[in-house]
Amino acid sequence: MPTSINNLTLTLHQVPRAQKASWKTFGLLLYRIGLLLVWTVFSLPGVVLHGPIFVTASVVSKIKAKGNVVGSCRSMSRVLMCL
């Protein structure tokens, strides 16, 4: 079955091999790992500075959720079970 690439038709026997060089693949892997490390280093100051805000928001959210469950149990007249 022919494969069309930009108005060119190639059959399978016309393509000797479809394989990337292993050193190119390894180089691309190293490049992407390097990028990941660089962006991780750039993001660390923001994570450290905003860490206390995340923890405070989580604690306040849990306290408010617990208070809302108790408040809703008190206000409902026909409650079968409250947590």
Side-chain angles (χ1 to χ4, degrees), residues 2-18:
T3 303
S4 177
I5 302 172
N6 295 335
N7 297 330
L8 298 174
T9 303
L10 295 175
T11 59
L12 292 178
H13 73 275
Q14 290 174 318
V15 181
R17 63 182 185 148

Side-chain angles (χ1 to χ4, degrees), residues 46-64:
V47 170
V48 170
L49 288 173
H50 288 52
I53 296 170
F54 297 145
V55 172
T56 304
S58 175
V59 170
V60 168
S61 174
K62 287 181 183 178
I63 290 172
K64 284 189 172 189

Side-chain angles (χ1 to χ4, degrees), residues 35-75:
L35 275 180
L36 184 64
L37 289 174
V38 167
W39 287 111
T40 301
V41 168
F42 283 153
S43 69
L44 281 177
V47 170
V48 170
L49 288 173
H50 288 52
I53 296 170
F54 297 145
V55 172
T56 304
S58 175
V59 170
V60 168
S61 174
K62 287 181 183 178
I63 290 172
K64 284 189 172 189
K66 189 182 285 188
N68 286 340
V69 169
V70 171
S72 67
C73 288
R74 289 181 189 156
S75 65

